[in-house]
Amino acid sequence: MARPSRTSQMPNLRESIRDVAWRQITESGASSLSLRRIARELGITAPAIYNYFSDRDALVTALIVDAYASFGDCQHEARNAYPGSGWEVDCLRAIGIAYRRWALDHPHRYLLIFGKPVPGYEPPMQEILPVMMRSLGALLATIGELHALGRLEVEGVPLPLLEPAHRFFALMETADEPMLAVYAVAMVIWSRVHGFVSLEITGQLPPFAEKGEALYGFELDSICRQFVRSQDR
Amino acid sequence: MARPSRTSQMPNLRESIRDVAWRQITESGASSLSLRRIARELGITAPAIYNYFSDRDALVTALIVDAYASFGDCQHEARNAYPGSGWEVDCLRAIGIAYRRWALDHPHRYLLIFGKPVPGYEPPMQEILPVMMRSLGALLATIGELHALGRLEVEGVPLPLLEPAHRFFALMETADEPMLAVYAVAMVIWSRVHGFVSLEITGQLPPFAEKGEALYGFELDSICRQFVRSQDR
DNA sequence: TTTAGAAATATACGGCGTATATTTACAATG
DNA sequence: CATTGTAAATATACGCCGTATATTTCTAAA
């Protein structure tokens, strides 16, 4: 009992809105996203968008989920390039390199995910957590394998708290202590990688312009040296 | 009616505008800054602000300079607490701890400086570079001292490019190679510290809520172990 | 053929930054 | 003291924005 009215002229308006939004974001940044501009470009009126997204924040959330999906794909592709055992360190490096590559290729998407996206917007965690955890999954799995092989150096790494009140509790309540150590190491690695990449794509690492890759490689080496024990122990 | 004798009621309107802007930022975030809200709170009309700031971006720039000044003070205070020689490692740690403390105490200022401040705003580098370099100065000086003492481990650290076309060239053209190594190590340390702190203040390190300090301490230890040679070599 | 309801429009409100023209208060000058 | 130039405020207006409300248009099901 509905009306696919525009179906003839504009089949998937919801997807068209998302597409145009992405184009505007990649052209002029996430903060300049405007429902009216999207509508203008699609030849419709602004309130029409409210038939597909309850408000601007809902659209932003959908875009963030998209971005996480693309980012997660890139992470898991890197991981899947090193199947089997014995290549965990190479896999770790590949994930790190893919992380930076994706960020450099999609700086606006990266900032949309990890920065302060749009003025008044606060991301709804229960919608974003799944895609967020999926994209962390590649890193977690690889570190987990290293741990299972006894090659993960975890001495001195503080473990996270697990209180029932915590948002992440549901995800982690079945985790044993080794899993917590894996998680902690992942967080440290993530924070290092994120620090470098976010400075680089916001242009705050200027003297290293063309040498960013070398300095990033140095950081990946540092990570491997610190957290991975050599194969022949 | 036009100009009531405001000079009597409100002597330093320019400073009052900045104060109110800071209050609004610390209360509701940098992105919700609004000239009209500021004017309303001061009992003046919005265009009156244009007598003191040429446009909204000029106000934001002034706020960023303020924030850098406060941040730089915090960094140099930490450094000055360890005068003389022999305490360089403690000094390095103190600077790192002060960095996180300041960010946690002033998250909005931190994001104003290092994040994507306001929608369409692009910071004018020639205004910001001085205060930015000053706040990096504490870290640079301490690492420089370690280097002068032969205690800085720089093996494998890639050096930055120094091309005349570069914005930073004027600052660095007198630098010799050791100075470049010092600069490179400072960038690595900065990116690690920034990565952790920015994730923490944007709430993306959830399971470590109360354990953030411990994990951060672990990172500072990692930095010292990697880049500082023990005193008795 | 009728009709319920989805999807679009028209219109409007209050917010924003800011450009323009106008008015006022004050200080320096004659 | 009177005049006047100017800086600082106001009034007004324009074009953006997100979005709420009411209304129209179309179509699929009854």
Side-chain angles (χ1 to χ4, degrees), chain A residues 31 114 116 119 156 159 161 166 168 187-188 190-192 194-195 198 204-207 210-211 218-219 222 226, chain B residues 31 114 116 119 156 159 161 166 168 187-188 191-192 194-195 198 204-207 210-211 218-219 222 226:
Chain A
S31 59
F114 295 116
K116 58 8 167 237
L159 300 186
L161 288 179
H166 231 288
F168 279 68
M187 284 291 152
V188 169
W190 180 33
S191 94
R192 289 195 196 173
H194 165 72
S198 68
Q204 311 203 49
L205 224 50
E210 299 89 6
K211 282 250 186 170
F218 173 82
E219 276 297 74
S222 303
Q226 180 170 2
Chain B
S31 60
F114 296 116
K116 61 0 165 167
L159 300 185
L161 289 179
H166 231 287
F168 278 68
M187 283 293 152
V188 169
S191 94
R192 287 195 197 172
H194 166 72
S198 67
Q204 310 203 48
L205 223 51
E210 299 91 7
K211 282 251 187 173
F218 173 82
E219 276 297 74
S222 304
Q226 180 170 2

Side-chain angles (χ1 to χ4, degrees), chain B residues 17-35:
Chain B
I17 292 170
R18 277 184 22 210
D19 292 349
V20 172
W22 270 127
R23 271 228 355 271
Q24 294 189 0
I25 281 183
T26 43
E27 278 170 12
S28 29
S31 60
S32 73
L33 193 151
S34 142
L35 295 189

Side-chain angles (χ1 to χ4, degrees), chain B residues 46-120:
Chain B
I49 297 181
Y50 284 70
N51 286 310
Y52 303 95
F53 299 95
S54 65
D55 54 7
R56 194 199 53 165
D57 288 5
L59 173 57
V60 173
T61 300
L63 297 176
I64 288 181
V65 170
D66 281 358
Y68 263 118
S70 159
F71 174 62
D73 288 350
C74 127
Q75 291 285 274
H76 284 282
E77 274 170 28
R79 170 166 161 69
N80 294 337
Y82 291 88
S85 199
W87 299 91
E88 286 77 16
V89 178
D90 307 79
C91 182
L92 195 58
R93 278 193 65 101
I95 289 175
I97 288 168
Y99 187 105
R100 173 169 176 266
R101 184 76 268 143
W102 189 86
L104 291 179
D105 288 344
H106 312 286
H108 294 304
R109 298 191 189 204
Y110 190 89
L111 293 177
L112 185 66
I113 291 181
F114 296 116
K116 61 0 165 167
V118 198

Side-chain angles (χ1 to χ4, degrees), chain A residues 118-229:
Chain A
V118 197
Y121 176 78
E122 281 299 320
M125 271 301 169
Q126 85 280 6
E127 289 197 52
I128 285 173
L129 210 55
V131 282
M132 181 176 157
M133 291 310 283
R134 172 179 172 265
S135 45
L136 260 180
L139 179 61
L140 280 171
T142 304
I143 298 177
E145 281 176 12
L146 281 168
H147 181 76
L149 294 170
R151 297 184 58 201
L152 190 69
E153 179 59 65
V154 296
E155 198 184 313
V157 180
L159 300 186
L161 288 179
L162 274 194
E163 295 169 1
H166 231 288
R167 266 204 307 262
F168 279 68
F169 184 71
L171 279 164
M172 308 283 292
E173 61 184 341
T174 64
D176 48 1
E177 201 201 293
M179 181 59 205
L180 292 188
V182 166
Y183 193 86
V185 171
M187 284 291 152
V188 169
I189 294 177
W190 180 33
S191 94
R192 289 195 196 173
V193 162
H194 165 72
F196 188 94
V197 165
S198 68
L199 287 183
E200 194 177 14
I201 68 175
T202 58
Q204 311 203 49
L205 224 50
F208 285 93
E210 299 89 6
K211 282 250 186 170
E213 189 170 342
L215 199 59
Y216 188 72
F218 173 82
E219 276 297 74
L220 293 183
D221 286 341
S222 303
I223 288 169
C224 291
R225 268 201 309 274
Q226 180 170 2
F227 294 109
V228 182
R229 281 198 280 262

